[in-house]
Amino acid sequence: MVAPPDNDVLWARSLHHAHNGSPALNGVSLGVREGEILAVCGPRGSGKTTLLHCLSGQLVPKDGEVWFNSAPVHTLNAVQRERLRRDRFGWVGPEPCLVPELSAWENAALPLLLRGSSRRAAKAAAMEWLERLDIGDCARRRPSALLQAQRQRVAVARALAPMPLVLFADEPTAPLHRVDRAHVLRTLTAAARSHRITVVLATHDPDVAAVADRTIHLLDGRRVNSVQQHEAEGRDACSLSV
């Protein structure tokens, strides 16, 4: 193994992975700098979610390497990877996946509570982000009493409250209407800028990708120069992977 460049907080080389024999990633490499917002673009089924799962330690790639702060993630065992996700990473998916028995603020505070923070400190951090996302008045409600857009904002607050070093956002605005989508994106980008949070954002929406500092494209599990170029030139354009 060769250690990644010092200026990359997250780095992957030649990632390969398959689901039930169907290729999901085929030789994807990338580096992400501290505080950078990187958009991973491509149509559904292009490998975006699998890539984020490998980068965040939720999946171990069949082949290839993933490094975080110059330490190999792909060689960690399951317990070590879970601890890494709890202590260093944040995650927002297309569905909120909240704990139904907990209130909105308890859901947002959950990662901090699992780290061992006091209930008072965890609540304060959770409330700060709920207020920033304009749902502070919903803090005591359970998920069943919230609208879908409100539940998604709670999920975003839960990801940001622990101040992760890297936030993985997999289609985080998919369930949101235009106004809610814009508010969530503003909050994510403001958090990245003010707290130097590295964001890896998977999306098929060019308007969402526009908030990123840099964009890479996936198609059929490969990194390509652009999906549009691929479609214009035919399937051989996949050979343009970087």
Side-chain angles (χ1 to χ4, degrees):
M1 293 189 298
V2 178
D6 291 338
N7 59 342
D8 284 341
V9 66
L10 195 66
W11 188 75
R13 177 168 55 195
S14 300
L15 297 183
H16 291 260
H17 200 73
H19 298 294
N20 298 320
S22 178
L25 293 177
N26 195 344
V28 175
S29 300
L30 60 86
V32 193
R33 296 181 296 275
E34 180 184 359
E36 181 181 24
I37 302 176
L38 175 71
V40 180
C41 294
R44 289 183 174 88
S46 59
K48 302 187 302 295
T49 296
T50 302
L51 176 60
L52 263 64
H53 281 172
C54 289
L55 294 176
S56 63
Q58 297 182 55
L59 281 176
V60 177
K62 295 294 183 183
D63 291 295
E65 303 173 14
V66 177
W67 295 72
F68 168 68
N69 277 346
S70 300
V73 175
H74 56 285
T75 61
L76 300 178
N77 62 39
V79 173
Q80 291 170 325
R81 286 185 284 112
E82 182 178 351
R83 187 178 299 120
L84 177 66
R85 294 195 301 272
R86 182 194 68 193
D87 294 342
R88 297 290 183 264
F89 295 162
W91 180 273
V92 183
E95 296 294 333
C97 298
L98 303 179
V99 180
E101 295 83 7
L102 300 181
S103 67
W105 81 257
E106 288 170 328
N107 269 284
L110 189 57
L112 286 165
L113 294 171
L114 291 174
R115 288 186 189 180
S117 296
S118 70
R119 187 174 177 87
R120 182 175 181 177
K123 183 176 182 179
M127 288 301 303
E128 176 185 351
W129 288 103
L130 292 174
E131 294 287 352
R132 290 193 189 191
L133 288 157
D134 287 346
I135 50 170
D137 57 347
C138 299
R140 295 186 178 277
R141 299 182 192 174
R142 292 188 178 183
S144 60
L146 300 176
L147 300 174
Q148 174 74 356
Q150 293 171 328
R151 291 195 292 270
Q152 189 68 0
R153 291 191 187 202
V154 173
V156 173
R158 178 180 59 192
L160 289 171
M163 287 290 98
L165 295 180
V166 181
L167 173 62
F168 297 94
D170 183 15
E171 301 282 7
T173 60
L176 303 177
H177 294 299
R178 183 177 60 85
V179 174
D180 292 311
R181 180 171 68 238
H183 189 113
V184 166
L185 287 175
R186 283 197 303 270
T187 304
L188 285 175
T189 54
R193 304 306 183 204
S194 61
H195 298 284
R196 298 291 295 167
I197 298 174
T198 301
V199 178
V200 183
L201 170 66
T203 182
H204 66 278
D205 187 337
D207 292 334
V208 175
V211 307
D213 301 309
R214 186 165 56 95
T215 300
I216 67 169
H217 299 271
L218 295 185
L219 194 64
D220 298 334
R222 295 178 180 270
R223 185 171 171 182
V224 298
N225 285 351
S226 74
V227 174
Q228 289 79 10
Q229 181 177 4
H230 174 92
E231 291 173 342
E233 298 180 359
R235 298 192 65 84
D236 287 343
C238 278
S239 63
L240 297 173
S241 58
V242 177

